[in-house]
Amino acid sequence: MTPHVPPMASQELLSRLLATFPELSELDETHRMDLLGSTQFNRLRGGDIAYRQGQRCNNYVMCIEGQTRVFKTSESGREILLYQVGPGETCVLTTSCLMAGSPFPAESTAETDVLHAALPASSFHRLMSASPRFRTFVLDHYGDLLSSLIMLVDEVAFASLDL
């Protein structure tokens, strides 16, 4: 289970969230207050599991510090790194799972100590419906990460066997 950060630290952490994701400061005040009031902060230690394959995605996760890796493992134990999520980034698969209501299709572990902001799914869906700016924020991050993932597929699928 991911340890929650004590409420005393909330104001400092909310400031760090907005500094890491300045686009969120541009939300209408009502939507910004909804986001900030709903967001929880979690810490992972290096090696901790963030998501297991098949797990339900309950939060929209925004990385403030540290780095996680998202990967798939074959039945034979071979592993392929899909992408990493670092400060100022979100997870494309978590976003996809929240939008589609599907389970997480890979695994994610913390490569370093991580601090992330977790917006519960109910707040995520409410803001996606009510706030064009939040929707743009999510889709911009999603598009950037999806493009990176497609580049990885191209590299794996079309790289020479020598590589």
Side-chain angles (χ1 to χ4, degrees), residues 2-105:
T2 305
H4 291 284
V5 175
M8 295 182 341
S10 295
Q11 196 55 47
E12 177 190 337
L13 293 172
L14 291 172
S15 295
R16 288 187 65 191
L17 171 65
L18 294 176
T20 305
F21 296 93
E23 310 97 300
L24 297 175
S25 296
E26 299 170 10
L27 297 179
D28 296 342
E29 185 170 349
T30 302
H31 299 137
R32 190 174 60 251
M33 292 298 110
D34 186 9
L35 174 104
L36 297 178
S38 302
T39 299
Q40 299 173 350
F41 295 90
N42 301 308
R43 292 194 183 275
L44 298 172
R45 291 188 175 179
D48 285 354
I49 296 170
Y51 276 101
R52 293 184 190 280
Q53 185 168 330
Q55 181 178 345
R56 182 183 172 118
C57 296
N58 295 317
N59 297 292
Y60 179 70
V61 179
M62 298 167 277
C63 184
I64 296 171
E65 70 182 41
Q67 184 165 287
T68 59
R69 60 191 305 270
V70 180
F71 60 96
K72 288 285 287 183
T73 306
S74 71
E75 288 182 19
S76 66
R78 285 188 50 212
E79 190 178 285
I80 184 169
L81 176 67
L82 300 176
Y83 57 94
Q84 295 164 304
V85 180
E89 296 177 331
T90 62
C91 176
V92 66
L93 290 180
T94 303
T95 305
S96 176
C97 292
L98 284 169
M99 291 193 294
S102 59
F104 200 73

